Amino acid sequence: MAKKAVASLQTGSKRLTKAIKMVKSPKTGAYVFVESIMAPDLVNDYFKKN
């Protein structure tokens, strides 16, 4: 189960996206949030990847 959150960021001429994914920890079983800043065209691949 993954929760998706996407925010658009603009720095100068580059357009970036901050993606936040909720991932279940294999160690404790609790959910943790993983954040990443990337180009907007890479967001869908980031959420499809486990």
Side-chain angles (χ1 to χ4, degrees):
M1 173 191 229
K3 182 177 181 179
K4 298 179 183 181
V6 176
S8 295
L9 307 170
Q10 290 185 344
T11 57
S13 63
K14 292 184 181 180
R15 185 162 179 250
L16 300 173
T17 301
K18 181 178 183 180
I20 303 169
K21 182 168 49 170
M22 188 170 74
V23 179
K24 190 170 186 177
S25 172
K27 190 181 214 181
T28 62
Y31 285 96
V32 295
F33 293 96
V34 179
E35 297 181 10
S36 182
I37 297 176
M38 65 194 76
D41 54 343
L42 301 175
V43 172
N44 287 334
D45 294 334
Y46 175 72
F47 284 119
K48 288 179 185 177
K49 179 176 65 167
N50 284 337

